[in-house]
Amino acid sequence: MEVFTLLINGVWAALQPINLGLAFLGVVIGLFVGAMPGLGSVNGVAILLPFTFVIQEITGTVSSPMIFLAAIYYGAMYGGAISSITLGIPGASTAVATTFDGRPLALEGKAEKALVIAAIASFIGGTLSNIIFTGAAPLLATVALRFGNPEIFALMLLAFATFVGLGSDDIPKTIISICFGLIMSSVGFDIISGAPRLLLFDSTLWFSRGIQFLVLAIGVYGIGEMLWTLNSSRGTVRMTEANITFKRLWAAMKSFPEAWKGTTIGSFLGFFVGILPAAGATPGSLMAYGVTKMVSKNPEKFGKGEPDGVAAPEAANNSASTGAMLPMMTLGIPGSPTTAVLLAGMVIWGLQPGPLLFSEQPEFVWPLIGSFYISNVIAVMVNLAFIPLFLKVLKMPFSILAPLIFVLSVVGTYAAYQNIYDVWLMLIFGLGAFLLRILDYPLAPAVLAIVLGPIAEPTLRQSLLLSDGSWLIFFERPVSGPITVIAIILLLLPLLGFLKKKIRS
């Protein structure tokens, strides 16, 4: 009951005119920052962090600046889906999985359906994660700390298994795609020895920092998708055939129950992955997509415009963004790159994140938590209101849209890293993705491997160092054991299916 009272007081504080205005401004900024390829929540929060000192001077509180930054974070999670669906270019790495089914829906002339599903799923994911956050923050933070390297690796293995075991794609090609992604994720310097690995012509110019995920994502889903569309349509494609009316938007909203399963899985799985240190919304969204595909009755529809394939990653990345705030506030451990910037802001303002924050700084904590609910409502309303504006992009002939996609991809990549080598890599990856699509190789498993590889490799190696090289460590522990067994069963399912067919024949 005390928690409920504190929450009500926090929501009331967040509804004060100055805080409400900051939340609205932050959401709108975040929405457009998230929709611009190459930016995303990290860049938006980092760029506007100095502005919060002005806010603190005006309001005289430390909660108002944090409300503003958290609103940008929320808005960016919503905004990433916009360019993923309308242009096929992920606005941020957290929205990569949204392109898998959001883009096909747009190509079918159902972009408003994809945008509505993304917005509502994001709202539900954010709301459920806020409720969980409010009621169980200290307990969940303790649970997250119990996840050591073996448990995190087992979770990564399970994510790979969902793509292999129950996917409808060609299994050998899926495995090859995953292996290719893992190889790409290991480029750079060895995390333990520091030795260079897979550097092109022994040069450190191109790959010394490894392959940046956003470079690959923009190349694959920006340039690659543009080339594929030009090749298949000869530049005549036109995404929307009719004006967007309230009737069409209402019909899209009424169709949302089709995506209830993806929304549910994404909301809970995203929050859980979000609270794990060093995980964040990108792995959470990809894992939610894989799990939703795994439990679907029609996995073959994924990648072709399946509503659950849009809802799962969007619910997950919003839920994970709240989840990532939990270890930051209760333990002082950022759960994502964006929360690392937020943590720096808290320290600058003289706050000490940790277990005592809730008891010693309630005037900061509860208005911030209250703003999570407020920002979530503002974000879904603004997003739905702007859908007709977003869809105007799709009325352009593709002969005009293609150069726009190319320019946005190049500018977005350079803006993210200020490195011309990354721009060339993005173009190379785009051409490679186009060739892989011609050869009918699935791209999603490779993208998953690029994201999870930098998490899976160090946790695997550190686990084996901990056990003196024994693989039993993944089976003996009470949490990692069941997860590992389930992952192995999923990996063996294709073989069992093959044996069944042989026996019947």
Side-chain angles (χ1 to χ4, degrees):
M1 190 64 185
E2 182 184 359
V3 171
F4 183 73
T5 303
L6 291 169
L7 176 62
I8 293 297
N9 293 334
V11 171
W12 178 251
L15 285 172
Q16 298 306 303
I18 183 65
N19 290 333
L20 187 61
L22 287 170
F24 181 83
L25 179 61
V27 164
V28 173
I29 292 173
L31 193 66
F32 285 96
V33 165
M36 288 296 295
L39 292 181
S41 60
V42 181
N43 304 71
V45 171
I47 291 169
L48 291 170
L49 181 61
F51 181 67
T52 58
F53 297 109
V54 179
I55 296 175
Q56 186 180 13
E57 288 182 7
I58 294 173
T59 62
T61 67
V62 291
S63 59
S64 295
M66 196 68 174
I67 287 171
F68 176 65
L69 294 181
I72 295 174
Y73 192 11
Y74 256 106
M77 290 299 107
Y78 278 80
I82 297 168
S83 55
S84 294
I85 293 169
T86 58
L87 299 176
I89 311 173
S93 60
T94 56
V96 168
T98 309
T99 62
F100 299 165
D101 285 276
R103 179 64 171 169
L105 277 172
L107 292 172
E108 292 175 11
K110 300 177 182 177
E112 78 282 354
K113 181 177 181 179
L115 288 166
V116 166
I117 288 174
I120 297 177
S122 295
F123 173 74
I124 293 174
T127 301
L128 287 176
S129 62
N130 286 336
I131 293 171
I132 299 170
F133 184 104
T134 303
L139 175 63
L140 288 172
T142 305
V143 171
L145 279 184
R146 294 179 66 86
F147 262 66
N149 289 315
E151 286 76 19
I152 294 177
F153 175 75
L155 203 60
M156 301 300 105
L157 183 64
L158 180 63
F160 291 126
T162 59
F163 273 81
V164 175
L166 291 178
S168 59
D169 299 314
D170 186 292
I171 298 301
K173 287 184 176 180
T174 299
I175 294 174
I176 291 172
S177 184
I178 288 176
C179 291
F180 178 75
L182 289 174
I183 290 171
M184 291 294 99
S185 71
S186 65
V187 171
F189 289 95
D190 186 276
I191 56 171
I192 294 179
S193 67
R197 300 188 300 189
L198 303 175
L199 297 186
L200 185 64
F201 307 123
D202 295 326
S203 171
T204 59
L205 289 175
W206 285 66
F207 298 117
S208 60
R209 295 179 295 116
I211 295 174
Q212 304 297 321
F213 174 67
L214 198 58
V215 172
L216 176 120
I218 294 177
V220 169
Y221 294 104
I223 301 300
E225 181 68 24
M226 179 193 72
L227 293 174
W228 175 259
T229 305
L230 287 172
N231 179 69
S232 58
S233 67
R234 302 188 184 278
T236 60
V237 67
R238 192 180 180 92
M239 254 74 77
T240 52
E241 300 175 357
N243 291 325
I244 300 303
T245 62
F246 178 78
K247 185 177 180 180
R248 289 191 68 178
L249 287 176
W250 179 245
M253 291 180 193
K254 288 197 296 184
S255 70
F256 178 77
E258 299 174 18
W260 71 268
K261 186 180 292 184
T263 303
T264 304
I265 293 172
S267 298
F268 289 101
L269 181 60
F271 184 83
F272 177 72
V273 174
I275 66 176
L276 299 177
T282 302
S285 62
L286 285 161
M287 290 172 67
Y289 182 89
V291 172
T292 304
K293 181 179 179 181
M294 179 184 73
V295 302
S296 173
K297 294 180 180 178
N298 302 297
E300 70 280 355
K301 292 184 178 180
F302 281 73
K304 301 175 183 177
E306 172 63 29
D308 272 328
V310 177
E314 282 304 302
N317 62 37
N318 259 267
S319 185
S321 65
T322 301
M325 300 282 283
L326 193 149
M328 181 200 76
M329 294 177 65
T330 59
L331 302 172
I333 302 172
S336 70
T338 308
T339 53
V341 179
L342 294 174
L343 178 65
M346 290 176 63
V347 173
I348 290 171
W349 298 320
L351 297 167
Q352 182 59 52
L356 299 179
L357 183 67
F358 279 71
S359 58
E360 294 182 352
Q361 298 285 344
E363 70 281 357
F364 165 78
V365 170
W366 290 105
L368 176 60
I369 294 176
S371 77
F372 294 167
Y373 292 87
I374 303 302
S375 297
N376 203 28
V377 173
I378 293 173
V380 72
M381 293 174 64
V382 170
N383 210 330
L384 291 173
F386 282 5
I387 283 177
L389 175 64
F390 303 149
L391 293 181
K392 287 187 182 296
V393 176
L394 295 179
K395 291 187 177 183
M396 289 189 288
F398 201 76
S399 56
I400 297 175
L401 197 57
L404 177 63
I405 291 173
F406 180 82
V407 170
L408 284 174
S409 298
V410 172
V411 172
T413 302
Y414 188 80
Y417 302 109
Q418 291 84 48
N419 190 332
I420 195 63
Y421 296 105
D422 286 326
V423 174
W424 284 110
L425 282 178
M426 180 272 296
L427 296 173
I428 291 170
F429 284 134
L431 180 60
F434 171 63
L435 296 176
L436 286 174
R437 286 199 67 176
I438 290 177
L439 296 173
D440 202 27
Y441 275 82
L443 297 176
V447 173
L448 179 80
I450 287 280
V451 173
L452 300 187
I455 302 174
E457 183 191 1
T459 53
L460 170 64
R461 295 175 67 176
Q462 289 164 9
S463 298
L464 293 176
L465 286 173
L466 185 66
S467 65
D468 293 325
S470 174
W471 290 85
L472 291 177
I473 190 171
F474 299 110
F475 297 91
E476 294 173 340
R477 293 164 71 107
V479 177
S480 64
I483 298 175
T484 304
V485 170
I486 293 171
I488 291 173
I489 291 173
L490 289 176
L491 288 170
L492 293 176
L493 277 178
L495 178 61
L496 295 175
F498 176 77
L499 291 175
K500 277 185 179 180
K501 289 181 181 178
K502 283 289 185 182
I503 293 172
R504 287 176 182 174
S505 60

